[in-house]
Amino acid sequence: MKNFPCIRKSANKFFVWSSDRVIYVYEMGNSIDQILLQGSFRVENNPIDVCASTEPGLIYVSQDDCTLRAYLGEKAEYELRLPKSKMTRLEQTFADSMLGPPMHTKSRPSFLLMAMHRFSAVPIHIDSWSMSSRLAVVVATFGSGSIQSMWFYNN
């Protein structure tokens, strides 16, 4: 890191960033020795504030170009066939013998840009709340004292 780092804990994640535009994401455990580096990613402009929601698993970054960007917080994989929990034991046997082992998509890696919203001023503080497993609200505050809310839906 080039400058003094900024640190923020949000949801079950711990974020560290500075003006070099790289955000390091750590997964929080029950104790200090269980903090694990989940990964890092580079953003387009200097980050001002970072927060996250666990459901949906998104990371929100306010940047100095007056934008709020939502990134996928973890790798998303989906089964290409019916999940085993929805099949009987006999159906699982036939599916395994005819189709082989279950396959998953790999189309959405971690830290993929999901959405972006441009404001007329720089959001200096953001916070998020989960409303459901796919819906979250993010509130941004600005230097003038005004606030604005954004809804993010992760399908």
Side-chain angles (χ1 to χ4, degrees):
M1 293 194 170
K2 295 179 182 176
N3 292 335
F4 192 76
C6 298
I7 299 170
R8 171 103 192 255
K9 183 205 177 290
S10 182
N12 62 341
K13 297 188 184 318
F14 186 71
F15 302 98
V16 179
W17 73 93
S18 71
S19 63
D20 61 355
R21 299 185 304 203
V22 176
I23 299 175
Y24 297 92
V25 182
Y26 294 89
E27 190 77 30
M28 298 290 290
N30 292 333
S31 64
I32 193 73
D33 59 342
Q34 294 178 340
I35 296 175
L36 299 171
L37 178 64
Q38 187 178 358
S40 65
F41 64 103
R42 180 174 290 279
V43 294
E44 293 78 14
N45 298 291
N46 289 332
I48 304 298
D49 198 13
V50 179
C51 71
S53 59
T54 54
E55 293 285 326
L58 296 174
I59 298 170
Y60 311 98
V61 180
S62 66
Q63 297 182 12
D64 66 355
D65 66 341
C66 303
T67 59
L68 174 66
R69 298 171 194 239
Y71 296 89
L72 190 62
E74 52 209 25
K75 182 169 54 172
E77 292 183 340
Y78 300 100
E79 281 196 61
L80 295 175
R81 68 177 192 198
L82 189 66
K84 286 189 173 189
S85 61
K86 305 240 184 221
M87 293 189 275
T88 65
R89 174 73 78 196
L90 183 61
E91 291 171 333
Q92 287 179 18
T93 305
F94 282 114
D96 288 341
S97 63
M98 292 175 66
L99 301 174
M103 295 179 62
H104 296 82
T105 63
K106 299 207 182 339
S107 60
R108 295 172 67 182
S110 298
F111 315 127
L112 177 70
L113 180 64
M114 299 296 290
M116 181 185 80
H117 181 75
R118 186 169 300 278
F119 297 105
S120 59
V122 176
I124 58 172
H125 181 74
I126 56 174
D127 216 341
S128 65
W129 293 274
S130 297
M131 295 295 156
S132 71
S133 63
R134 297 193 181 270
L135 183 67
V137 62
V138 178
V139 175
T141 59
F142 301 91
S144 64
S146 61
I147 63 170
Q148 188 168 352
S149 62
M150 297 286 309
W151 292 84
F152 288 93
Y153 180 75
N154 184 9
N155 58 356

